[in-house]
Amino acid sequence: MKLSYWEIKSWFTNVDYTIVGSGIVGLNCALQLKQRFPKANILVLEKGILPQGASTKNAGFACFGSLSEILDDLKIHSECEVFSLVKKRVDGLQLLRQTLGDANINYKQFGGFELFTKADSELFEDCLSKKESINNLLKPIFKDEVYSLKSNIFNFKNIQNQYIFNQFEGQIDTGKMMKSLLQKALSRDIKILNNVTVKAFLEDNNSVKIKTKLFEFSTSKLLIATNGFASQLLNEHVKPARAQVLITKPIKNLQIKGTFHLDKGYYYFRNIDDRILLGGGRNLDFKAEETTELKQTELIQNKLEALLKITILPETPFDIDYRWSGIMGVGKQKKAIVKQLSNHVFCGVRLGGMGVAIGSLVGKELSDLV
Ligand SMILES: Cc1cc2nc3c(=O)[nH]c(=O)nc-3n(C[C@H](O)[C@H](O)[C@H](O)COP(=O)(O)OP(=O)(O)OC[C@H]3O[C@@H](n4cnc5c(N)ncnc54)[C@H](O)[C@@H]3O)c2cc1C
């Protein structure tokens, strides 16, 4: 496609920073750069009509790890590493709330609940026996006990009679969060172009030439925030991981309130607008879910529906309203990759299942690299 003189002059000349990806990381990175360099010409390129990876698809848990997840992390990370992972998530959530304001993301701290299946008595016992030591490990961050025991107040079926409750866990309205973030970026004169797929880039002494599906241009610095799609442009160890979700139609007198982690975190659900949003099931077929295709499978959707019927809403009739999927970026290590790749190219990718929590901070760290 040939660009006009006007298009070249107004959008693609003297571009200081080009960011690929308009998810939480890309937009936060753009906002931070604008704050530091108010006169900078910042361009965000996004392949979807909306952000199209995970940031507009997620479950909106403002969480930093369930007890079993933290114990699991301790098997491959040191105590110090796990402490700093949790701290990053907490700081990231604080930054998100500061940047956008609680009303604009509909932040509610209803608490988080970890549910254990009947088959998981051993894991449940293990969590109970280590609860105190994890509370102590996290005391410097929260100054209070994070995990406590609660009885099955919501009457879920086929689970252990008690949950592990996390008083500090919250939830947000993901759509509101991304709308506010986009509005904020646009109001700061950050240019966002949708339907533009970056295919390749080539660096010379002073700039980076960017090749998109339709046109080419040059930028002084390139920042890549493409998370689950990172390996399409970069040589980094990031695997795509699809996560599938469904949401019910509104349910009269729905009493369930909070964010819930079930079966070692393989499933998660929450209340939102008198509905239940439920996701997970990647463990049913990890290989098939290692994809960037935004599709749903019968295997996982049927399992999610069965969980609603058998465990979550056993006595309440419900209908499914929507089903969708999103793409995460994962790796062996839980830590995000935030680094300079060459003189003018940087990346902030591999956010795993915690990008609501760490996305703002990773965006800031990425911007701090330039
Ligand atoms: C179903 C689901 C549920 C989740 N639930 C939670 C949760 O409850 N709590 C939590 O903390 N985290 C959750 N996550 C994870 C969280 O959503 C992500 O970690 C976070 O959104 C990642 O943000 P990002 O900006 O790095 O990536 P993304 O939001 O994926 O943004 C990357 C963007 O780059 C664009 N892009 C990719 N390649 C190109 C290219 N070549 N050219 C142009 N644009 C490109 C993509 O279209 C995309 O919009 C969930 C994820 C999913 C999928």
mmCIF file of all heavy atoms in Angstrom, residues 263-305:
data_model
loop_
_atom_site.group_PDB
_atom_site.id
_atom_site.type_symbol
_atom_site.label_atom_id
_atom_site.label_comp_id
_atom_site.label_asym_id
_atom_site.label_seq_id
_atom_site.Cartn_x
_atom_site.Cartn_y
_atom_site.Cartn_z
ATOM 1 N N ASP A 263 -9.168 -26.579 41.887
ATOM 2 C CA ASP A 263 -8.347 -27.647 41.319
ATOM 3 C C ASP A 263 -6.946 -27.150 40.953
ATOM 4 O O ASP A 263 -6.560 -27.132 39.788
ATOM 5 C CB ASP A 263 -9.065 -28.218 40.073
ATOM 6 C CG ASP A 263 -8.501 -29.573 39.688
ATOM 7 O OD1 ASP A 263 -7.571 -30.046 40.378
ATOM 8 O OD2 ASP A 263 -8.974 -30.147 38.700
ATOM 9 N N LYS A 264 -6.204 -26.721 41.939
ATOM 10 C CA LYS A 264 -4.813 -26.234 41.805
ATOM 11 C C LYS A 264 -4.700 -25.040 40.863
ATOM 12 O O LYS A 264 -3.671 -24.820 40.227
ATOM 13 C CB LYS A 264 -3.891 -27.358 41.325
ATOM 14 C CG LYS A 264 -3.894 -28.596 42.187
ATOM 15 C CD LYS A 264 -3.036 -29.684 41.545
ATOM 16 C CE LYS A 264 -3.494 -31.058 41.902
ATOM 17 N NZ LYS A 264 -4.626 -31.568 41.140
ATOM 18 N N GLY A 265 -5.784 -24.291 40.725
ATOM 19 C CA GLY A 265 -5.728 -23.105 39.858
ATOM 20 C C GLY A 265 -5.998 -23.418 38.391
ATOM 21 O O GLY A 265 -5.969 -22.519 37.549
ATOM 22 N N TYR A 266 -6.259 -24.694 38.063
ATOM 23 C CA TYR A 266 -6.561 -25.026 36.665
ATOM 24 C C TYR A 266 -7.897 -24.418 36.238
ATOM 25 O O TYR A 266 -8.156 -24.229 35.061
ATOM 26 C CB TYR A 266 -6.572 -26.540 36.445
ATOM 27 C CG TYR A 266 -5.185 -27.124 36.384
ATOM 28 C CD1 TYR A 266 -4.813 -28.199 37.196
ATOM 29 C CD2 TYR A 266 -4.231 -26.591 35.517
ATOM 30 C CE1 TYR A 266 -3.531 -28.717 37.144
ATOM 31 C CE2 TYR A 266 -2.946 -27.102 35.471
ATOM 32 C CZ TYR A 266 -2.608 -28.166 36.284
ATOM 33 O OH TYR A 266 -1.343 -28.673 36.238
ATOM 34 N N TYR A 267 -8.757 -24.114 37.213
ATOM 35 C CA TYR A 267 -10.033 -23.456 36.912
ATOM 36 C C TYR A 267 -10.179 -22.233 37.804
ATOM 37 O O TYR A 267 -9.673 -22.215 38.938
ATOM 38 C CB TYR A 267 -11.205 -24.424 37.158
ATOM 39 C CG TYR A 267 -11.109 -25.637 36.279
ATOM 40 C CD1 TYR A 267 -10.475 -26.797 36.723
ATOM 41 C CD2 TYR A 267 -11.590 -25.601 34.979
ATOM 42 C CE1 TYR A 267 -10.334 -27.894 35.895
ATOM 43 C CE2 TYR A 267 -11.457 -26.701 34.140
ATOM 44 C CZ TYR A 267 -10.825 -27.836 34.609
ATOM 45 O OH TYR A 267 -10.678 -28.909 33.780
ATOM 46 N N TYR A 268 -10.847 -21.214 37.270
ATOM 47 C CA TYR A 268 -11.054 -19.990 38.045
ATOM 48 C C TYR A 268 -12.413 -19.418 37.688
ATOM 49 O O TYR A 268 -12.852 -19.485 36.548
ATOM 50 C CB TYR A 268 -9.937 -18.970 37.765
ATOM 51 C CG TYR A 268 -9.551 -18.878 36.310
ATOM 52 C CD1 TYR A 268 -10.179 -17.983 35.442
ATOM 53 C CD2 TYR A 268 -8.570 -19.718 35.785
ATOM 54 C CE1 TYR A 268 -9.832 -17.923 34.108
ATOM 55 C CE2 TYR A 268 -8.223 -19.671 34.447
ATOM 56 C CZ TYR A 268 -8.856 -18.768 33.607
ATOM 57 O OH TYR A 268 -8.527 -18.724 32.276
ATOM 58 N N PHE A 269 -13.103 -18.885 38.686
ATOM 59 C CA PHE A 269 -14.399 -18.263 38.393
ATOM 60 C C PHE A 269 -14.660 -17.101 39.339
ATOM 61 O O PHE A 269 -13.989 -16.952 40.366
ATOM 62 C CB PHE A 269 -15.546 -19.282 38.427
ATOM 63 C CG PHE A 269 -15.766 -19.985 39.743
ATOM 64 C CD1 PHE A 269 -16.725 -19.528 40.642
ATOM 65 C CD2 PHE A 269 -15.026 -21.100 40.082
ATOM 66 C CE1 PHE A 269 -16.951 -20.183 41.853
ATOM 67 C CE2 PHE A 269 -15.228 -21.761 41.296
ATOM 68 C CZ PHE A 269 -16.195 -21.302 42.180
ATOM 69 N N ARG A 270 -15.613 -16.265 38.967
ATOM 70 C CA ARG A 270 -15.912 -15.063 39.742
ATOM 71 C C ARG A 270 -17.328 -14.592 39.437
ATOM 72 O O ARG A 270 -17.924 -15.006 38.436
ATOM 73 C CB ARG A 270 -14.944 -13.942 39.365
ATOM 74 C CG ARG A 270 -15.074 -13.568 37.894
ATOM 75 C CD ARG A 270 -14.304 -12.337 37.507
ATOM 76 N NE ARG A 270 -14.949 -11.128 37.999
ATOM 77 C CZ ARG A 270 -14.541 -9.898 37.695
ATOM 78 N NH1 ARG A 270 -13.475 -9.727 36.920
ATOM 79 N NH2 ARG A 270 -15.169 -8.844 38.156
ATOM 80 N N ASN A 271 -17.821 -13.717 40.279
ATOM 81 C CA ASN A 271 -19.085 -13.043 39.965
ATOM 82 C C ASN A 271 -18.770 -11.792 39.143
ATOM 83 O O ASN A 271 -17.709 -11.177 39.309
ATOM 84 C CB ASN A 271 -19.794 -12.620 41.249
ATOM 85 C CG ASN A 271 -19.020 -11.520 41.954
ATOM 86 O OD1 ASN A 271 -17.868 -11.707 42.332
ATOM 87 N ND2 ASN A 271 -19.639 -10.369 42.106
ATOM 88 N N ILE A 272 -19.650 -11.433 38.242
ATOM 89 C CA ILE A 272 -19.574 -10.140 37.552
ATOM 90 C C ILE A 272 -20.955 -9.830 36.966
ATOM 91 O O ILE A 272 -21.525 -10.680 36.265
ATOM 92 C CB ILE A 272 -18.450 -10.113 36.464
ATOM 93 C CG1 ILE A 272 -18.461 -8.814 35.647
ATOM 94 C CG2 ILE A 272 -18.529 -11.284 35.490
ATOM 95 C CD1 ILE A 272 -17.840 -7.638 36.333
ATOM 96 N N ASP A 273 -21.494 -8.686 37.307
ATOM 97 C CA ASP A 273 -22.809 -8.256 36.780
ATOM 98 C C ASP A 273 -23.872 -9.354 36.939
ATOM 99 O O ASP A 273 -24.586 -9.676 35.970
ATOM 100 C CB ASP A 273 -22.689 -7.893 35.293
ATOM 101 C CG ASP A 273 -21.640 -6.820 35.045
ATOM 102 O OD1 ASP A 273 -21.388 -6.025 35.960
ATOM 103 O OD2 ASP A 273 -21.072 -6.792 33.940
ATOM 104 N N ASP A 274 -24.004 -9.959 38.095
ATOM 105 C CA ASP A 274 -24.977 -11.038 38.368
ATOM 106 C C ASP A 274 -24.752 -12.290 37.510
ATOM 107 O O ASP A 274 -25.684 -13.072 37.274
ATOM 108 C CB ASP A 274 -26.429 -10.559 38.159
ATOM 109 C CG ASP A 274 -26.762 -9.421 39.091
ATOM 110 O OD1 ASP A 274 -26.310 -9.479 40.254
ATOM 111 O OD2 ASP A 274 -27.435 -8.473 38.654
ATOM 112 N N ARG A 275 -23.572 -12.440 37.010
ATOM 113 C CA ARG A 275 -23.236 -13.616 36.199
ATOM 114 C C ARG A 275 -22.059 -14.344 36.853
ATOM 115 O O ARG A 275 -21.374 -13.785 37.701
ATOM 116 C CB ARG A 275 -22.782 -13.189 34.790
ATOM 117 C CG ARG A 275 -23.761 -12.332 34.018
ATOM 118 C CD ARG A 275 -22.997 -11.645 32.878
ATOM 119 N NE ARG A 275 -23.831 -10.716 32.135
ATOM 120 C CZ ARG A 275 -24.386 -10.971 30.962
ATOM 121 N NH1 ARG A 275 -24.190 -12.133 30.366
ATOM 122 N NH2 ARG A 275 -25.107 -10.071 30.338
ATOM 123 N N ILE A 276 -21.818 -15.563 36.361
ATOM 124 C CA ILE A 276 -20.582 -16.258 36.724
ATOM 125 C C ILE A 276 -19.707 -16.356 35.473
ATOM 126 O O ILE A 276 -20.155 -16.804 34.420
ATOM 127 C CB ILE A 276 -20.850 -17.679 37.266
ATOM 128 C CG1 ILE A 276 -21.594 -17.623 38.598
ATOM 129 C CG2 ILE A 276 -19.543 -18.462 37.426
ATOM 130 C CD1 ILE A 276 -20.808 -17.102 39.790
ATOM 131 N N LEU A 277 -18.456 -15.882 35.614
ATOM 132 C CA LEU A 277 -17.458 -16.048 34.555
ATOM 133 C C LEU A 277 -16.550 -17.185 34.997
ATOM 134 O O LEU A 277 -16.089 -17.187 36.141
ATOM 135 C CB LEU A 277 -16.688 -14.739 34.397
ATOM 136 C CG LEU A 277 -15.582 -14.668 33.340
ATOM 137 C CD1 LEU A 277 -15.347 -13.200 32.954
ATOM 138 C CD2 LEU A 277 -14.280 -15.282 33.780
ATOM 139 N N LEU A 278 -16.344 -18.140 34.120
ATOM 140 C CA LEU A 278 -15.535 -19.318 34.472
ATOM 141 C C LEU A 278 -14.540 -19.621 33.357
ATOM 142 O O LEU A 278 -14.893 -19.578 32.175
ATOM 143 C CB LEU A 278 -16.478 -20.518 34.670
ATOM 144 C CG LEU A 278 -15.873 -21.919 34.677
ATOM 145 C CD1 LEU A 278 -14.964 -22.141 35.879
ATOM 146 C CD2 LEU A 278 -16.981 -22.982 34.678
ATOM 147 N N GLY A 279 -13.304 -19.892 33.741
ATOM 148 C CA GLY A 279 -12.292 -20.204 32.727
ATOM 149 C C GLY A 279 -11.383 -21.314 33.213
ATOM 150 O O GLY A 279 -11.430 -21.728 34.362
ATOM 151 N N GLY A 280 -10.520 -21.775 32.288
ATOM 152 C CA GLY A 280 -9.525 -22.786 32.648
ATOM 153 C C GLY A 280 -9.632 -24.035 31.802
ATOM 154 O O GLY A 280 -10.240 -24.027 30.729
ATOM 155 N N GLY A 281 -9.008 -25.097 32.302
ATOM 156 C CA GLY A 281 -9.076 -26.386 31.617
ATOM 157 C C GLY A 281 -7.952 -26.630 30.619
ATOM 158 O O GLY A 281 -7.990 -27.593 29.859
ATOM 159 N N ARG A 282 -6.917 -25.779 30.646
ATOM 160 C CA ARG A 282 -5.792 -25.993 29.719
ATOM 161 C C ARG A 282 -5.122 -27.332 29.977
ATOM 162 O O ARG A 282 -4.564 -27.951 29.091
ATOM 163 C CB ARG A 282 -4.756 -24.892 29.920
ATOM 164 C CG ARG A 282 -4.907 -23.781 28.928
ATOM 165 C CD ARG A 282 -3.802 -22.765 28.909
ATOM 166 N NE ARG A 282 -3.010 -22.585 30.081
ATOM 167 C CZ ARG A 282 -1.700 -22.876 30.156
ATOM 168 N NH1 ARG A 282 -1.068 -23.391 29.132
ATOM 169 N NH2 ARG A 282 -1.033 -22.651 31.267
ATOM 170 N N ASN A 283 -5.199 -27.788 31.243
ATOM 171 C CA ASN A 283 -4.564 -29.054 31.620
ATOM 172 C C ASN A 283 -5.225 -30.262 30.949
ATOM 173 O O ASN A 283 -4.669 -31.344 30.932
ATOM 174 C CB ASN A 283 -4.607 -29.229 33.140
ATOM 175 C CG ASN A 283 -6.016 -29.132 33.695
ATOM 176 O OD1 ASN A 283 -6.815 -28.358 33.185
ATOM 177 N ND2 ASN A 283 -6.321 -29.900 34.707
ATOM 178 N N LEU A 284 -6.414 -30.071 30.358
ATOM 179 C CA LEU A 284 -7.058 -31.200 29.665
ATOM 180 C C LEU A 284 -6.318 -31.543 28.373
ATOM 181 O O LEU A 284 -6.397 -32.664 27.891
ATOM 182 C CB LEU A 284 -8.519 -30.858 29.341
ATOM 183 C CG LEU A 284 -9.431 -30.613 30.545
ATOM 184 C CD1 LEU A 284 -10.814 -30.208 30.100
ATOM 185 C CD2 LEU A 284 -9.487 -31.848 31.439
ATOM 186 N N ASP A 285 -5.659 -30.549 27.788
ATOM 187 C CA ASP A 285 -4.889 -30.794 26.564
ATOM 188 C C ASP A 285 -3.883 -29.647 26.357
ATOM 189 O O ASP A 285 -4.096 -28.763 25.521
ATOM 190 C CB ASP A 285 -5.845 -30.894 25.357
ATOM 191 C CG ASP A 285 -5.140 -31.463 24.138
ATOM 192 O OD1 ASP A 285 -3.898 -31.519 24.145
ATOM 193 O OD2 ASP A 285 -5.840 -31.849 23.183
ATOM 194 N N PHE A 286 -2.808 -29.679 27.145
ATOM 195 C CA PHE A 286 -1.827 -28.586 27.084
ATOM 196 C C PHE A 286 -1.325 -28.350 25.666
ATOM 197 O O PHE A 286 -1.157 -27.227 25.228
ATOM 198 C CB PHE A 286 -0.615 -28.904 27.978
ATOM 199 C CG PHE A 286 -0.840 -28.568 29.429
ATOM 200 C CD1 PHE A 286 -0.745 -29.548 30.407
ATOM 201 C CD2 PHE A 286 -1.137 -27.279 29.822
ATOM 202 C CE1 PHE A 286 -0.942 -29.239 31.750
ATOM 203 C CE2 PHE A 286 -1.334 -26.961 31.167
ATOM 204 C CZ PHE A 286 -1.240 -27.938 32.125
ATOM 205 N N LYS A 287 -1.076 -29.459 24.942
ATOM 206 C CA LYS A 287 -0.466 -29.344 23.611
ATOM 207 C C LYS A 287 -1.385 -28.555 22.657
ATOM 208 O O LYS A 287 -0.941 -27.641 21.968
ATOM 209 C CB LYS A 287 -0.182 -30.752 23.073
ATOM 210 C CG LYS A 287 0.919 -30.851 22.056
ATOM 211 C CD LYS A 287 2.308 -30.566 22.624
ATOM 212 C CE LYS A 287 3.201 -29.928 21.572
ATOM 213 N NZ LYS A 287 4.171 -28.970 22.110
ATOM 214 N N ALA A 288 -2.672 -28.931 22.666
ATOM 215 C CA ALA A 288 -3.621 -28.272 21.749
ATOM 216 C C ALA A 288 -3.788 -26.801 22.103
ATOM 217 O O ALA A 288 -4.071 -25.973 21.226
ATOM 218 C CB ALA A 288 -4.969 -28.980 21.807
ATOM 219 N N GLU A 289 -3.595 -26.474 23.380
ATOM 220 C CA GLU A 289 -3.799 -25.082 23.815
ATOM 221 C C GLU A 289 -2.531 -24.235 23.654
ATOM 222 O O GLU A 289 -2.529 -23.052 23.962
ATOM 223 C CB GLU A 289 -4.293 -25.036 25.273
ATOM 224 C CG GLU A 289 -5.640 -25.719 25.494
ATOM 225 C CD GLU A 289 -6.738 -25.195 24.563
ATOM 226 O OE1 GLU A 289 -7.022 -23.993 24.587
ATOM 227 O OE2 GLU A 289 -7.307 -26.009 23.804
ATOM 228 N N GLU A 290 -1.461 -24.855 23.127
ATOM 229 C CA GLU A 290 -0.233 -24.095 22.881
ATOM 230 C C GLU A 290 -0.341 -23.452 21.492
ATOM 231 O O GLU A 290 0.351 -23.836 20.547
ATOM 232 C CB GLU A 290 0.957 -25.066 22.951
ATOM 233 C CG GLU A 290 2.281 -24.384 23.179
ATOM 234 C CD GLU A 290 3.410 -25.409 23.220
ATOM 235 O OE1 GLU A 290 3.379 -26.299 24.084
ATOM 236 O OE2 GLU A 290 4.297 -25.315 22.350
ATOM 237 N N THR A 291 -1.243 -22.518 21.355
ATOM 238 C CA THR A 291 -1.556 -21.971 20.041
ATOM 239 C C THR A 291 -1.931 -20.495 20.161
ATOM 240 O O THR A 291 -2.332 -20.035 21.231
ATOM 241 C CB THR A 291 -2.741 -22.757 19.422
ATOM 242 O OG1 THR A 291 -3.169 -22.097 18.238
ATOM 243 C CG2 THR A 291 -3.940 -22.836 20.370
ATOM 244 N N THR A 292 -1.824 -19.764 19.044
ATOM 245 C CA THR A 292 -2.269 -18.361 19.046
ATOM 246 C C THR A 292 -3.642 -18.224 18.379
ATOM 247 O O THR A 292 -4.110 -17.116 18.150
ATOM 248 C CB THR A 292 -1.262 -17.454 18.303
ATOM 249 O OG1 THR A 292 -1.038 -18.001 17.006
ATOM 250 C CG2 THR A 292 0.042 -17.322 19.040
ATOM 251 N N GLU A 293 -4.274 -19.358 18.086
ATOM 252 C CA GLU A 293 -5.595 -19.303 17.442
ATOM 253 C C GLU A 293 -6.681 -18.996 18.454
ATOM 254 O O GLU A 293 -6.871 -19.748 19.420
ATOM 255 C CB GLU A 293 -5.908 -20.657 16.799
ATOM 256 C CG GLU A 293 -5.677 -20.667 15.307
ATOM 257 C CD GLU A 293 -6.252 -21.931 14.712
ATOM 258 O OE1 GLU A 293 -5.510 -22.929 14.697
ATOM 259 O OE2 GLU A 293 -7.418 -21.921 14.302
ATOM 260 N N LEU A 294 -7.428 -17.933 18.223
ATOM 261 C CA LEU A 294 -8.479 -17.537 19.176
ATOM 262 C C LEU A 294 -9.740 -18.361 18.932
ATOM 263 O O LEU A 294 -10.700 -17.880 18.329
ATOM 264 C CB LEU A 294 -8.767 -16.043 19.034
ATOM 265 C CG LEU A 294 -7.681 -15.119 19.602
ATOM 266 C CD1 LEU A 294 -7.861 -13.698 19.123
ATOM 267 C CD2 LEU A 294 -7.662 -15.161 21.124
ATOM 268 N N LYS A 295 -9.704 -19.624 19.367
ATOM 269 C CA LYS A 295 -10.867 -20.514 19.171
ATOM 270 C C LYS A 295 -11.220 -21.210 20.474
ATOM 271 O O LYS A 295 -10.446 -21.203 21.417
ATOM 272 C CB LYS A 295 -10.524 -21.572 18.127
ATOM 273 C CG LYS A 295 -10.502 -21.033 16.725
ATOM 274 C CD LYS A 295 -10.391 -22.166 15.737
ATOM 275 C CE LYS A 295 -10.409 -21.613 14.325
ATOM 276 N NZ LYS A 295 -9.829 -22.563 13.381
ATOM 277 N N GLN A 296 -12.389 -21.864 20.487
ATOM 278 C CA GLN A 296 -12.797 -22.669 21.637
ATOM 279 C C GLN A 296 -12.837 -24.137 21.208
ATOM 280 O O GLN A 296 -13.063 -24.421 20.035
ATOM 281 C CB GLN A 296 -14.188 -22.283 22.131
ATOM 282 C CG GLN A 296 -14.251 -20.925 22.764
ATOM 283 C CD GLN A 296 -14.213 -19.815 21.726
ATOM 284 O OE1 GLN A 296 -13.218 -19.121 21.595
ATOM 285 N NE2 GLN A 296 -15.291 -19.654 20.976
ATOM 286 N N THR A 297 -12.658 -25.052 22.174
ATOM 287 C CA THR A 297 -12.775 -26.475 21.845
ATOM 288 C C THR A 297 -13.916 -27.088 22.658
ATOM 289 O O THR A 297 -14.195 -26.650 23.767
ATOM 290 C CB THR A 297 -11.471 -27.236 22.184
ATOM 291 O OG1 THR A 297 -11.231 -27.115 23.592
ATOM 292 C CG2 THR A 297 -10.274 -26.690 21.430
ATOM 293 N N GLU A 298 -14.519 -28.113 22.067
ATOM 294 C CA GLU A 298 -15.626 -28.805 22.748
ATOM 295 C C GLU A 298 -15.167 -29.402 24.076
ATOM 296 O O GLU A 298 -15.863 -29.323 25.087
ATOM 297 C CB GLU A 298 -16.146 -29.928 21.849
ATOM 298 C CG GLU A 298 -17.582 -29.719 21.426
ATOM 299 C CD GLU A 298 -18.023 -30.777 20.456
ATOM 300 O OE1 GLU A 298 -18.195 -31.925 20.910
ATOM 301 O OE2 GLU A 298 -18.167 -30.463 19.264
ATOM 302 N N LEU A 299 -13.969 -30.024 24.022
ATOM 303 C CA LEU A 299 -13.443 -30.699 25.209
ATOM 304 C C LEU A 299 -13.447 -29.763 26.414
ATOM 305 O O LEU A 299 -13.973 -30.095 27.494
ATOM 306 C CB LEU A 299 -12.007 -31.175 24.927
ATOM 307 C CG LEU A 299 -11.242 -31.783 26.092
ATOM 308 C CD1 LEU A 299 -11.785 -33.165 26.433
ATOM 309 C CD2 LEU A 299 -9.737 -31.862 25.798
ATOM 310 N N ILE A 300 -12.881 -28.580 26.248
ATOM 311 C CA ILE A 300 -12.740 -27.661 27.388
ATOM 312 C C ILE A 300 -14.064 -26.984 27.716
ATOM 313 O O ILE A 300 -14.446 -26.876 28.891
ATOM 314 C CB ILE A 300 -11.606 -26.643 27.113
ATOM 315 C CG1 ILE A 300 -10.266 -27.392 27.173
ATOM 316 C CG2 ILE A 300 -11.637 -25.488 28.117
ATOM 317 C CD1 ILE A 300 -9.044 -26.570 26.935
ATOM 318 N N GLN A 301 -14.794 -26.557 26.691
ATOM 319 C CA GLN A 301 -16.072 -25.873 26.960
ATOM 320 C C GLN A 301 -17.052 -26.813 27.673
ATOM 321 O O GLN A 301 -17.779 -26.388 28.572
ATOM 322 C CB GLN A 301 -16.662 -25.321 25.663
ATOM 323 C CG GLN A 301 -15.870 -24.148 25.080
ATOM 324 C CD GLN A 301 -15.914 -22.892 25.937
ATOM 325 O OE1 GLN A 301 -16.934 -22.576 26.538
ATOM 326 N NE2 GLN A 301 -14.799 -22.164 26.012
ATOM 327 N N ASN A 302 -17.072 -28.085 27.280
ATOM 328 C CA ASN A 302 -17.967 -29.050 27.950
ATOM 329 C C ASN A 302 -17.583 -29.240 29.407
ATOM 330 O O ASN A 302 -18.439 -29.343 30.286
ATOM 331 C CB ASN A 302 -17.936 -30.415 27.245
ATOM 332 C CG ASN A 302 -18.674 -30.342 25.911
ATOM 333 O OD1 ASN A 302 -19.409 -29.381 25.666
ATOM 334 N ND2 ASN A 302 -18.466 -31.320 25.044
ATOM 335 N N LYS A 303 -16.271 -29.279 29.650
ATOM 336 C CA LYS A 303 -15.801 -29.447 31.029
ATOM 337 C C LYS A 303 -16.190 -28.229 31.877
ATOM 338 O O LYS A 303 -16.627 -28.364 33.032
ATOM 339 C CB LYS A 303 -14.275 -29.654 31.029
ATOM 340 C CG LYS A 303 -13.637 -29.659 32.390
ATOM 341 C CD LYS A 303 -13.966 -30.906 33.191
ATOM 342 C CE LYS A 303 -13.422 -30.805 34.599
ATOM 343 N NZ LYS A 303 -13.632 -31.955 35.416
ATOM 344 N N LEU A 304 -16.031 -27.037 31.293
ATOM 345 C CA LEU A 304 -16.389 -25.821 32.041
ATOM 346 C C LEU A 304 -17.879 -25.840 32.390
ATOM 347 O O LEU A 304 -18.283 -25.544 33.517
ATOM 348 C CB LEU A 304 -16.054 -24.557 31.218
ATOM 349 C CG LEU A 304 -14.555 -24.289 30.965
ATOM 350 C CD1 LEU A 304 -14.369 -23.048 30.088
ATOM 351 C CD2 LEU A 304 -13.789 -24.107 32.277
ATOM 352 N N GLU A 305 -18.684 -26.228 31.407
ATOM 353 C CA GLU A 305 -20.124 -26.269 31.651
ATOM 354 C C GLU A 305 -20.477 -27.311 32.718
ATOM 355 O O GLU A 305 -21.327 -27.072 33.583
ATOM 356 C CB GLU A 305 -20.834 -26.593 30.327
ATOM 357 C CG GLU A 305 -22.025 -25.706 30.128
ATOM 358 C CD GLU A 305 -22.642 -25.834 28.741
ATOM 359 O OE1 GLU A 305 -21.906 -25.652 27.748
ATOM 360 O OE2 GLU A 305 -23.856 -26.120 28.676
#
